[in-house]
Amino acid sequence: MRTPYGFLIRFVDLGLLLLMAFLATADLAPTIQVPLPHGADGGRTAQIHRIQFDAASLTLRREPTGFALCQVFSLEDLVACVRTLTDMTGPFLLSPLGAATMQRLVQVMDLCQREGLACAVAP
């Protein structure tokens, strides 16, 4: 006995099979390669900075010591902080903390692109 929805079930099954094939073959992990600067001493003079942020504040830290250079509450203040420091040649690692939202991450990435900073999301 045939059901009236047999064609629809076949169509949905075919769609799910195509979706599974796409997910199995697609590389869905976004990667960003930030070139690290190399100096005469093997790149040890390049300063890496970390921008830690949550929903309310942004903190700029020097790596590997973790020394906080400034803590601000708006993106404009972060730009002013970065501009006042003279050794901002190294790449910036973006580290979301606690209640950080995806929108805040996108805003910080846009800021990096606007200011010409080499930024990457920290693993």
Side-chain angles (χ1 to χ4, degrees), residues 6 87 92 115:
D87 61 344
F92 292 85
E115 296 298 318

Side-chain angles (χ1 to χ4, degrees), residues 34 48-52 63 91-95 118-123:
V34 177
I48 297 175
H49 296 87
R50 183 177 299 266
I51 299 174
Q52 294 179 326
E63 291 296 324
F92 292 85
L93 298 176
L94 306 180
S95 297
C119 294
V121 178

Side-chain angles (χ1 to χ4, degrees), residues 8-122:
L8 181 62
I9 291 173
R10 282 189 213 125
F11 184 72
V12 169
D13 285 342
L14 180 62
L16 287 175
L17 283 173
L18 289 174
L19 177 65
M20 292 301 209
F22 171 75
L23 291 175
T25 59
D27 181 23
L28 299 177
T31 57
I32 298 174
Q33 299 293 328
V34 177
L36 296 175
H38 299 286
D41 60 350
R44 286 181 296 226
T45 58
Q47 290 291 322
I48 297 175
H49 296 87
R50 183 177 299 266
I51 299 174
Q52 294 179 326
F53 60 94
D54 58 13
S57 67
L58 301 114
T59 305
L60 179 63
R61 296 187 181 279
R62 184 184 314 270
E63 291 296 324
T65 61
F67 178 74
L69 299 171
C70 61
Q71 182 173 10
V72 295
F73 297 99
S74 72
L75 294 172
E76 293 79 20
D77 292 340
L78 181 65
V79 170
C81 176
V82 169
R83 287 182 181 163
T84 59
L85 302 171
T86 58
D87 61 344
M88 290 293 156
T89 58
F92 292 85
L93 298 176
L94 306 180
S95 297
L97 298 173
T101 62
M102 185 60 74
Q103 180 63 35
R104 186 66 154 184
L105 176 63
V106 170
Q107 290 172 344
V108 176
M109 290 293 287
D110 286 344
L111 170 86
C112 290
Q113 187 176 15
R114 234 183 5 251
E115 296 298 318
L117 303 173
C119 294
V121 178

